[in-house]
């Protein structure tokens, strides 16, 4: 899933400082699952903003709603009769949400309430970790199911670098050195020879480096 | 009458309402019997209610026990008879007539509302026994605020008869002319749980107990207690100074035949002393020095040794192995202790305070009851019981549990209480539900889609509320609130006549929500809920405003603000009431069968117990024989014949028509919820299905085994053996053992170390028993026992005394310096150990070395995962609560027994197995389980299947169902609401505590609504 | 080993069988040439080549190519360091061409420290290719005369290719294979991380010898004299992949405060003495961090002077 | 601050411990300020972040959550979650420029009636010192 963090309240407050009627839109997709942009968080954000405004003596109206997903135009269209009533709309979805909203309703101002961070999953309740960098050419099978592109802080294809210490990365004690895991797994399984192979320089064209990406499925697209 | 015609009664009598009596009563009442619960004192609770915290979890004792007190007090099928004693018992098993003496209380419990006005005006003070005499109470009193029944009593020894209480009691409950009464009860069986008392150090003049700063451990509990005489502030009685140095003296009144004439070990004092040191340190504002003077540290229970080492290593409690020989008062209220260290060095030390760890003696009632009922007592004047029938007395149909037949801790008492409940009712199963009461209720009126019509009842509580707050003003104010259609104020809203009136008003005015502004929902909500239910309202259409306990009682000095606050609280309650909804409990079918996994003694006793109770038992054993570890044992600690018992038990189990045995079988699939489980059994060898069984409860009795020692040449030499090897040899080739001239027993082999930081509990007793037997056969034999602490708890202490008297040598060693084994070139084996008294190494050349090897749980990872039951770091199963739910698992409907729980002797295993049956029968005896109410409910439309609830639930109840949304089974949900507050999609609601209801209540505090039209 | 790949002094010294001695010079945090000069001047005649670091510890400094070129002008032989953090393959190849044209003949190919602890932690890192791929790329440019895209190079750069090895990084068992991989990818010489744990290094080098790695490549043991107890403690606890045994710290603590630096140098010299005799070690790489002025003294005390002239 | 400022303080108390302790304070006839109004919840684990925010939004001068002692929650660890949520709300208030001390978490056992009274006094004193909430309530 896409993992995001809520923006600091102050930043959101500034975005909507001059608005009098605001709609907060949650998304039932990834951001609900990663506990950052579902109905619960929409309510919390709305209440926090109201408290801030009431404190400053500039009351406003805030409504909350949640869409099934903000990355499909059909759900965006459900807001057709609604968005016009507000002078600011805050999206709690990933970066896709505010853009789909802006494209559908060019007259309206949309603001992102979250910082979209990475593709990952929950390792336990409340902790999410990156697993995929979306490079467009998956090489996980070379590394026994562990991706050094996303999980090595230098994206090394031949690791570990000299900074690997006691299974941790040089950048922080709480960051796992993925190469340590890869090497140990290969050792345990007696397949260390796999790591004697030279991997040619990666072709980054399929990643974001190749420009904005699209996926076209001929048999589906009309 | 012939045997077949004999009457079986469906009611039972329990004597003693301490924690054991309470547990026995609840189990029986919850499995279809009507219980008369008699206690001498004005309220239930026993000693546990006086404790501050409980070991080894340091849980607050009152927090743990009070839900049990409340349940007993409100149970439709438990008749609490306080201030009463059993006078005589006629008849026989199944059909007794019990004569009860009811002592006068001088206050009618039916009328008393517990408002306490009588106490306020009472001019006389008396010693407060509940606080061990450390403070005073009035002559009109209630032992403690959470007491059940919540009714006052008059201490006529102190009362001067001024009549003040009678004058102020608006409920008219005071009855000065109360007389002793005699009642007769017809009961099928009797459980005695009169409990114990603490040894009174005044009996011997040895501990300077007359000095105020020398207190007993129970007094110290009260000192530590937040509701005690010093409100939890750690002070010493003499000058109310905070002590900086406290000494605990163990074995005061226990293991002492000189001063106290009590030879037994009291089993609990080591642990409670450790607990008190730790809690005292927490209570102390400064660094508190604590020292425990002891002989042997007997921390033999589950997680006890860890607790001990935590105290020693982390909290810096000093443990001094020495008996203090004098306590001498010195200046400033301090005390000088003189003692001799193990090394022989004499030491003097000054302490600010001394706590005497007093032991148990039987309650004074024990001897009286024994005389009246013709029961046998043991040498220590406790009820005598055997090992194979651990809760049976010498009179058929009369059972016993708790401290009255031996010192023990709370979980052991609770286990025995359940065991007694089970055996006391197994012969009465034909009379199950025959004497119980079921409420007759009208159908519930359907109010759906109707606007709220709220009725508000404001209580004066005599003058408890009305004497402080302006009740008429509150009443008039309530009339202005939205949706309120009726308001009245009552002298006592809880009185019988008001309850009737309330029902009438509900019907007349079509009221569909009721708000009572009075005392606490904790004590009175169930009563009012019953009343509105009788008027046809769903019991959840009720809300309370606590305007007494949390208002007039605490804001006496500020009537205006108290009135204003009462208005706020009423407004908040009304605001929530607008949104409350009826909650319908659903009845789920119960399968009247019990699955028992494990065919050892515990498993077989459980199967037999369930079958005797009239339920189908499925007994699953993975090997091809029943009996388990018991096959390797010879005698119980009291000398009862185990092989003969085992043979009989296997025969009974095999022949019982209600028991189906599956050998070579293991469960491979398990589903369902409490009351209705389905388990698939497979043949362990072929892997083919053996059957699919449906059952309402399951008991895991998967047993344990003896540790195979590493080291001490075990396995390499025939002259090194474990206890079980020795038992086998004594059975098969006794000559090989009896030829030995010198035998060394080494204790704690594989126990109490870093791998297994627990005491195996049974080994000391096993060693003592074998040593005595050997000495008796061959008095010339040299027997050495190398030990760390001799843990012959309870009456087992007599074995220790006997062994010493027979000349068995006991040599203590430190874990850092264990006995060393040497094999010389000529293959001669020697053991070297450092003697603590002689302070030098001793070399012994034994002919036989017996290793007291640890008890390990059987490994059953797959099975435990299948049943989703937790195990601790050592592999033992973890019970729901260390104190009060010792045979339950956290998951409802699952129970445990035997060595899989913790090492224990055969009598303790039997008791636990029978206890598990009792707990299981509370489920399978019902025709249905009501589920629902205050539980979580999922709205599938909002569910994002994010697994937040799955991860957040402390009980692992939610799961993602095949339908693609989270599922929370009503039958399993505990109703805490954690998942609700975590759910990012707001897909879960906690019924009766919804966001809408609680936010409405919150808002109402700050909004004055517009006037009601 | 008769045929020279680059013709650098370092290559010649090593191939002639001498015990090599290299030094290090961190470019200034500015365009101050005098500062650079202060640092390289003491190294003249003391070492066979001078490593010029590339934004070491992810702190901005004068470009290592420019500094290397200034060293060439001053008559010193640079060992031009290049990290994968700051540039993509285009920039790397163009820099290599540029460096060669400026007379640079040695290159050390590195991954580079992560920018997180540098002076611009906000920056975007590149890591288009990793150090292994960089080694291979430099070799391809030199030996095949081709860019990474197989296009021909008009006058290919002939570099003597160096790589780093940290015998103390984790997992220790894998380090020797990583060394082997670097050699297979094209490393001509190896400079190791600073060595303090001698027993562990002996184990490492024995494996390298046993695997025949030191036959294929010259290995220079890394030495950094400790300047203070604080530095030793810092390196032990804070520098990832650094293994400082307690004995070293105790030894430094054991001497008078004024003598600590001297004791540090003494330890370094003892190490160098051992390396001279150690099978598989072809030289020493002295990283006298911010202590360039003491290199002559250390070289003198270590007995590596005079340096051979070939 | 105005002398006669009487703050409105809301307390979410768990049924098993804090609410019982409040009742016990009553049984013991302890005195504490009437500014405290208690809402009972089954477990402090039920106390949602939004409850605390809404209380502040509606004009509470102070809000606190009182649960069982740590390690003694009747529902295993609801009180630990409650503490984290209280900390979250404190952070939010700080971001909004409101004193985070207006929100607090307390732990006490059911036997600690005196402690309940102490907490009530402590919170009332604290809020009196802070003065009325800076959040003006909207009309209606």
């Amino acid at each position: 899933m896409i993992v995001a963090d809520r923006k600091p309240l102050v930043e959101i407050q500034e975005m909507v400082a001059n608005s009098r009627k605001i709609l907060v839109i949650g998304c039932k997709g990834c951001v609900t699952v990663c506990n950052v942009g579902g109905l619960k968080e929409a309510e919390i954000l709305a209440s926090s903003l109201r408290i801030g405004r009431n404190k400053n003596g500039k009351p406003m109206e805030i409504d909350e709603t949640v869409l099934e997903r903000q990355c499909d135009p059909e759900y965006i269209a459900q807001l057709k009769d609604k968005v016009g009533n507000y002078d600011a709309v805050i999206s709690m979805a990933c970066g896709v949400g505010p853009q789909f909203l802006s494209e559908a309703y060019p007259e309206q101002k949309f603001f992102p309430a979250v910082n979209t961070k990475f593709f990952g999953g929950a390792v336990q309740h409340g902790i999410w970790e990156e697993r995929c960098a979306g490079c467009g050419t998956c090489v996980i099978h070379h590394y026994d199911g562990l991706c050094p592109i996303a999980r090595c802080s230098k994206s090394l294809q031949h690791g570990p670098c000299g900074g690997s210490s006691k299974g941790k990365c040089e950048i922080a004690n709480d960051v796992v050195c993925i190469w340590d895991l890869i090497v140990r797994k290969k050792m345990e399984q007696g397949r260390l020879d796999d790591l004697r192979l030279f991997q040619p320089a990666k072709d980054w064209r399929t990643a974001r480096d190749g420009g904005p990406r699209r996926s076209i499925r001929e048999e589906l697209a009309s | 009458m012939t045997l077949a015609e004999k009457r079986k009664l469906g009611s039972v009598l329990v004597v003693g309402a301490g924690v054991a009596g309470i547990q026995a009563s609840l189990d029986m009442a919850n499995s279809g019997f009507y219980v008369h619960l008699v206690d001498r004192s004005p309220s239930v609770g026993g000693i546990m209610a006086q404790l501050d915290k409980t070991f080894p979890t340091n849980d607050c004792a009152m927090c743990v026990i009070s839900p049990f007190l409340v349940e007993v007090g409100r149970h439709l099928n438990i008749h609490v008879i306080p201030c009463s004693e059993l006078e005589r018992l006629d008849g026989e098993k199944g059909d007794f007539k019990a004569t009860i003496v009811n002592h006068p209380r001088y206050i009618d419990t039916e009328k008393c509302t517990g408002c306490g006005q009588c106490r306020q005006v009472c001019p006389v003070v008396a010693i407060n026994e509940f606080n061990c005499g450390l403070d005073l109470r009035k002559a009109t009193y209630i032992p403690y605020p959470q007491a059940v029944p919540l009714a006052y009593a008059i201490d006529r020894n102190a009362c001067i008869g001024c009549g003040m209480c009678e004058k102020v009691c608006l409920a008219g409950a005071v009855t000065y002319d109360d007389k002793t009464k005699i009642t007769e009860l017809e009961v099928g069986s009797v459980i005695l749980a009169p409990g114990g008392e603490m040894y009174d150090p005044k009996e011997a003049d040895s501990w300077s107990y007359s000095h105020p700063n020398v207190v007993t451990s129970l007094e110290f509990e009260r000192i530590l207690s937040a509701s005690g005489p010093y409100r939890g502030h750690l002070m010493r009685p003499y000058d109310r100074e905070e002590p900086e140095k406290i000494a605990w003296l163990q074995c005061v009144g226990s293991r002492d035949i000189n001063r106290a004439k009590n030879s037994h070990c009291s089993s609990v004092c080591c642990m409670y002393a450790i607990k008190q040191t730790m809690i005292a340190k927490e209570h102390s504002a400064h660094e508190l020095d604590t020292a425990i003077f002891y002989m042997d540290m007997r921390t033999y229970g589950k997680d006890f040794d860890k607790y001990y080492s935590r105290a020693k290593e982390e909290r810096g409690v000093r443990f001094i192995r020495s008996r203090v020989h004098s306590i001498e008062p010195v200046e400033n209220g301090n005390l000088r202790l003189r003692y001799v260290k193990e090394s022989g060095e004499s030491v003097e030390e000054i302490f600010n305070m001394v706590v005497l760890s007093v032991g148990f003696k039987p309650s004074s009632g024990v001897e009286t009851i024994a005389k009246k009922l013709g029961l046998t007592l043991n040498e220590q004047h406790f009820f005598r019981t055997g090992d194979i029938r651990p809760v049976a007395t010498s009179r058929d149909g009369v059972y016993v549990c708790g401290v009255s037949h031996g010192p023990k801790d709370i979980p052991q008492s609770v286990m025995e209480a359940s065991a007694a409940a089970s055996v006391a009712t197994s012969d009465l199963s034909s009379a199950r539900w025959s004497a119980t009461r079921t409420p007759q209720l009208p159908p519930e009126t359907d109010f759906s889609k109707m606007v709220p019509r709220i009725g508000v009842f404001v209580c004066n509580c005599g003058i408890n509320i009305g004497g402080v707050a302006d009740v008429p003003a509150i009443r008039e104010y309530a009339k202005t609130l939205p949706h309120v259609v009726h308001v009245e104020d009552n002298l006592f809203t809880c009185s019988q006549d008001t309850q009737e009136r309330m029902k009438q008003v509900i019907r007349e005015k079509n009221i569909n929500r009721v708000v009572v502004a009075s005392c606490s929902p904790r004590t009175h909500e169930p009563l009012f809920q019953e009343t509105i239910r009788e008027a046809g309202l769903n019991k959840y259409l009720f809300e309370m405003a606590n305007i007494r306990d949390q208002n007039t009682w605490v804001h006496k000095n500020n009537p205006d603000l108290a009135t204003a606050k009462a208005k706020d609280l009423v407004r908040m309650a009304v605001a929530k009431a607008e949104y409350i909804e009826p909650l319908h409990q659903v009845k789920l079918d119960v399968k009247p069968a019990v699955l028992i996994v494990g065919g050892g003694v515990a498993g077989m006793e459980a199967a037999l117990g369930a079958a005797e109770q009239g339920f189908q038992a499925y007994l699953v054993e993975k090997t091809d024989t029943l009996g388990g570890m018991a096959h390797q044992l010879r005698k119980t600690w009291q000398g009862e014949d185990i092989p003969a018992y085992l043979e009989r038990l296997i025969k009974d189990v095999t022949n019982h028509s209600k028991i189906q045995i599956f050998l070579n079988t293991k469960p491979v699939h398990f589903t369902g919820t409490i009351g209705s489980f389905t388990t698939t059994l497979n043949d362990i060898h072929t892997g083919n299905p053996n059957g699919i069984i449906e059952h309402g409860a399951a008991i895991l009795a998967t047993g344990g085994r003896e540790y195979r020692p590493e080291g001490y040449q075990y396995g390499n030499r025939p002259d090194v053996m474990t206890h079980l090897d020795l038992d086998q040899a004594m059975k098969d080739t006794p000559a090989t053992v009896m030829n030995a001239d010198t035998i060394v027993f080494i204790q704690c082999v594989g126990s109490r170390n870093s791998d297994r930081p627990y005491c195996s509990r049974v080994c000391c007793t096993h060693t003592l028993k074998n040593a005595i037997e050997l000495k008796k056969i061959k008095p010339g034999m040299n027997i050495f026992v190398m030990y760390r602490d001799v843990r012959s708890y309870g009456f087992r202490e007599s074995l220790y005394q006997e062994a010493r008297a027979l000349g068995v040598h006991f040599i203590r060693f430190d874990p850092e310096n264990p006995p060393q084994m040497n094999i010389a070139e000529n293959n001669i084996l020697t053991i070297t150990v450092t003697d603590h008294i002689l302070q030098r190494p001793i070399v012994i050349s034994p002919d036989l070395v017996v290793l007291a090897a640890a008890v390990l749980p059987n490994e059953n990872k797959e099975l435990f995962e299948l049943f989703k039951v937790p195990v601790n770091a050592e592999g033992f199963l973890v019970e729901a609560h260390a104190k009060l739910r010792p045979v339950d698992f956290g998951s409802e409907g699952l129970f445990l027994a035997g060595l899989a729980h913790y090492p224990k002797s055969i009598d303790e295993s039997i008791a636990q197995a029978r206890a598990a049956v009792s707990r299981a029968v509370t489920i399978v005896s019902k025709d249905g389980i009501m589920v629902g109410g205050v539980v979580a409910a999922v709205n599938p439309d909002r569910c994002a299947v994010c697994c937040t609830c799955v991860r957040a639930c402390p009980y692992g109840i939610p799961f993602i169902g095949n339908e693609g949304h989270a599922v929370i089974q009503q039958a399993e949900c505990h109703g805490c609401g954690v998942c609700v507050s975590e759910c990012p999609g707001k897909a879960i609601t906690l019924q009766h505590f919804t966001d809408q209801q609680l936010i409405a209540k919150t808002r109402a505090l700050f909004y004055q609504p517009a006037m009601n039209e | 080993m008769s045929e020279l790949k680059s013709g650098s002094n370092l290559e010649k010294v090593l191939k002639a069988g001498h015990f090599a001695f290299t030094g290090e010079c961190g470019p200034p945090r500015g365009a101050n040439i005098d500062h650079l000069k202060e640092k390289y001047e003491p190294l003249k005649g003391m070492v066979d080549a001078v490593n010029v670091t590339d934004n070491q510890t992810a702190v901005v400094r004068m470009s290592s190519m420019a500094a290397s070129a200034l060293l060439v002008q001053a008559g010193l032989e640079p060992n031009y360091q290049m990290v994968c953090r700051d540039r993509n393959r285009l920039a790397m190849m163009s820099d290599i061409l540029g460096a060669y044209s400026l007379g640079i003949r040695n290159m050390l190919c590195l991954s580079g420290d992560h920018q997180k602890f540098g002076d611009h932690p906000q920056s975007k890192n590149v890591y288009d290719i990793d150090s292994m791929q960089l080694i291979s790329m430099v070799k391809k440019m030199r030996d095949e005369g081709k860019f990474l895209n197989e296009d021909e190079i008009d006058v290919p750069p002939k570099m003597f290719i160096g790589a780093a090895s940290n015998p103390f990084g984790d997992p220790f068992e894998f380090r020797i294979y990583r060394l082997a991989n670097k050699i297979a990818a094209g490393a001509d010489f190896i400079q190791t991380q600073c060595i303090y744990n001698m027993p562990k290094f002996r184990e490492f080098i024995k494996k390298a010898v046993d695997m025949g790695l030191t036959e294929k490549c010259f290995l220079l043991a890394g030495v950094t004299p400790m300047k203070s107890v604080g530095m030793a403690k810092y390196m032990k606890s804070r520098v990832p992949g650094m293994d400082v045994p307690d004995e070293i710290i105790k030894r430094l603590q054991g001497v008078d405060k004024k003598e600590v630096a001297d004791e540090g140098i003494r330890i370094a010299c003892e190490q160098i003495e051992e390396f001279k005799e150690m099978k598989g070690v072809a030289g020493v790489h002295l990283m006298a961090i911010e202590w360039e002025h003491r290199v002559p003294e250390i070289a003198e005390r270590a007995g590596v002077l005079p340096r051979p002239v070939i | 601050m105005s002398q006669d400022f009487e703050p409105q303080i809301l307390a979410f108390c768990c049924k098993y411990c804090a609410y019982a302790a409040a009742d016990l304070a009553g049984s013991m006839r302890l005195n504490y300020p009437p500014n405290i109004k208690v809402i009972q919840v089954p477990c402090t684990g039920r106390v949602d972040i939004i409850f605390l925010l809404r209380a502040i939004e509606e004009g509470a001068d102070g809000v606190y959550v009182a649960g069982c002692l740590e390690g003694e929650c009747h529902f295993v660890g609801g009180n630990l979650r409650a503490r984290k949520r209280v900390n979250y709300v404190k952070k939010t208030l700080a971001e909004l420029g409101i004193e985070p001390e207006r929100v607090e978490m307390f732990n006490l056992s059911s036997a600690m009636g005196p402690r309940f009274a102490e907490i009530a006094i402590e919170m009332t004193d604290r809020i009196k010192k802070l003065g009325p909430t800076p959040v003006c309530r909207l009309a209606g």
Side-chain angles (χ1 to χ4, degrees), chain B residues 58 520 565 981-982 995, chain D residues 23 32 36 46 72 85 110:
Chain B
N58 288 356
S520 173
K565 176 170 170 178
S981 306
E982 292 285 297
D995 276 19
Chain D
D23 282 351
Y32 60 81
I36 308 295
R46 174 63 192 104
E72 294 188 27
R85 296 185 194 137
S110 72

Side-chain angles (χ1 to χ4, degrees), chain B residues 53 57-60 62-64 66-67 115-117 119-120 145-146 225-228 231 464 520-522 546 549-551 553-558 561-562 565 568-569 571-572 934 951-952 954-955 974-978 980-982 986 990 993-995 998-999 1001-1003 1005-1007, chain D residues 6 8-10 12 15-20 22-51 54-55 58-62 69 71-72 74-78 81 85 109-114 116 137-140:
Chain B
K53 297 280 165 66
T57 49
N58 288 356
D59 278 352
C60 160
M62 187 51 76
C63 299
V64 176
S66 71
C115 78
Q117 204 52 43
R119 179 187 62 183
Q120 300 288 320
Q146 301 87 344
S225 172
S227 53
R231 292 182 178 176
N464 276 279
S520 173
R522 288 176 53 259
N546 188 337
D549 304 43
Q550 297 180 10
N551 189 22
W553 274 358
V554 286
H555 312 314
K556 250 194 170 68
N557 309 333
N558 215 332
L561 287 178
K565 176 170 170 178
D568 286 344
L569 293 174
R571 187 171 67 248
M572 289 163 75
V934 181
R951 296 178 193 133
Y955 305 99
H974 294 229
C976 67
V978 158
V980 180
S981 306
E982 292 285 297
K986 289 275 170 203
L990 180 65
F993 291 94
T994 65
D995 276 19
L998 292 176
I999 290 174
K1001 201 166 183 174
T1002 301
R1003 277 174 65 93
L1005 175 57
F1006 309 102
Y1007 281 82
Chain D
E6 289 297 343
Q8 282 284 32
I9 300 168
L10 195 60
F12 288 96
K15 175 177 172 177
Y16 283 99
C17 287
Y19 196 91
D23 282 351
L24 181 59
S27 303
M28 295 171 82
R29 305 296 197 278
L30 306 173
N31 270 304
Y32 60 81
N35 309 68
I36 308 295
K37 316 283 150 64
V38 172
I39 291 184
Q40 192 198 61
V41 285
C43 170
T44 50
R46 174 63 192 104
V47 179
D48 221 308
I49 288 170
I50 195 73
F51 295 175
R54 289 298 297 267
E58 304 291 355
D61 298 299
L69 294 172
E72 294 188 27
H74 278 63
F75 297 103
V76 186
R81 289 188 185 277
R85 296 185 194 137
S109 83
S110 72
M112 292 162 78
F116 183 87
R137 196 147 42 84
L138 274 174

Side-chain angles (χ1 to χ4, degrees), chain C residues 77-96:
Chain C
E77 173 160 297
N79 182 13
Y80 165 46
Q81 295 194 182
M82 180 182 277
V83 299
C84 301
R85 177 191 60 228
D86 302 338
R87 43 185 85 68
N88 65 10
R89 62 191 85 177
L90 264 83
M92 284 173 159
M93 287 187 283
S94 89
D95 280 358
I96 293 164

Side-chain angles (χ1 to χ4, degrees), chain D residues 113-134:
Chain D
R115 176 69 188 136
F116 183 87
E118 244 173 63
I119 290 167
I121 294 166
E122 190 184 318
M123 254 332 252
T124 309
D125 284 354
R126 183 196 289 188
I127 302 298
K128 280 191 174 175
K129 276 191 196 111
L130 291 174
T133 173

Side-chain angles (χ1 to χ4, degrees), chain B residues 678-754:
Chain B
T678 306
T679 302
T680 309
L681 304 173
N682 270 16
D683 185 292
I684 220 155
H685 302 298
T686 65
N688 294 330
N690 255 355
I692 296 176
I693 57 167
E694 293 189 320
H695 52 104
I699 298 171
L700 301 190
T702 51
R705 61 195 166 93
E706 191 183 49
Y707 166 65
R708 304 277 87 188
E710 290 163 17
Y712 288 122
Q713 294 293 324
Y714 181 74
N716 300 333
R717 296 176 63 102
D719 53 355
V720 179
M721 47 175 67
T722 64
H723 265 306
L724 291 185
D725 298 334
L726 177 67
D727 279 3
Q728 197 66 35
M730 292 285 280
K731 214 160 31 173
D732 300 343
T733 52
T736 58
V737 180
M738 296 324 298
N739 283 343
D741 290 322
T742 302
I743 298 185
V744 165
F745 286 88
I746 302 176
Q747 300 302 108
C748 297
V749 175
S751 305
R752 301 184 67 191
N753 59 19
S754 53

Side-chain angles (χ1 to χ4, degrees), chain A residues 154 158 160 166 170 202, chain C residues 89 112 114 130 170 178 181:
Chain A
K154 301 174 185 175
H158 304 85
K166 298 187 183 81
E170 69 179 33
K202 189 173 167 69
Chain C
R89 62 191 85 177
H114 197 272
D130 65 17
D170 287 321
R178 189 163 151 83
N181 286 348

Side-chain angles (χ1 to χ4, degrees), chain B residues 503-674:
Chain B
K503 283 187 247 179
Q504 200 188 332
V505 170
I506 289 169
R507 290 195 199 96
E508 279 171 7
K509 296 203 171 178
N510 270 328
I511 287 170
N512 56 22
R513 308 280 193 284
V514 174
V515 171
V516 171
S518 61
C519 45
S520 173
R522 288 176 53 259
T523 51
H524 283 71
E525 190 172 53
L527 172 75
F528 296 125
Q529 284 186 322
E530 255 170 47
T531 304
I532 68 162
R533 179 64 193 82
E534 284 164 12
L537 284 189
N538 180 280
K539 72 171 186 178
Y540 290 101
L541 294 169
F542 178 77
E543 186 64 20
M544 260 178 107
N546 188 337
I547 61 168
R548 186 189 72 177
D549 304 43
Q550 297 180 10
N551 189 22
T552 54
W553 274 358
V554 286
H555 312 314
K556 250 194 170 68
N557 309 333
N558 215 332
D560 291 345
L561 287 178
T563 305
K565 176 170 170 178
K567 288 179 183 172
D568 286 344
L569 293 174
V570 169
R571 187 171 67 248
M572 289 163 75
V574 168
K576 181 179 170 188
E578 182 181 342
Y579 295 104
I580 52 181
E581 280 166 25
L583 300 181
H584 298 286
Q585 291 191 310
V586 181
K587 195 171 190 174
L588 297 184
D589 277 351
V590 167
K591 307 280 186 267
V594 182
L595 167 72
I596 297 106
V597 185
V601 160
M604 285 193 288
E605 283 281 351
L608 197 57
E612 284 170 355
Q613 289 271 358
F615 300 100
Q616 178 67 42
Y618 301 104
L619 180 60
V620 174
E621 163 60 36
K622 66 178 171 188
T623 70
D624 57 0
T625 41
L626 294 175
M629 265 232 339
H631 281 297
Q632 303 174 63
L633 302 172
R634 294 182 303 137
K635 281 180 181 165
T636 70
W637 79 267
Q638 297 192 75
E640 293 170 48
D641 184 344
I642 293 177
Y645 154 71
L646 195 57
E647 198 185 325
R648 201 168 62 236
L649 179 62
I650 294 174
K651 208 176 99 212
D652 289 351
V653 166
T654 313
N655 293 340
H656 204 293
S657 63
K658 288 236 166 209
I659 301 177
Q660 192 179 347
I661 300 169
F662 297 85
L663 296 177
N664 298 310
T665 300
K666 64 172 183 181
V668 290
H669 197 250
F670 171 77
T671 57
T673 57
I674 176 174

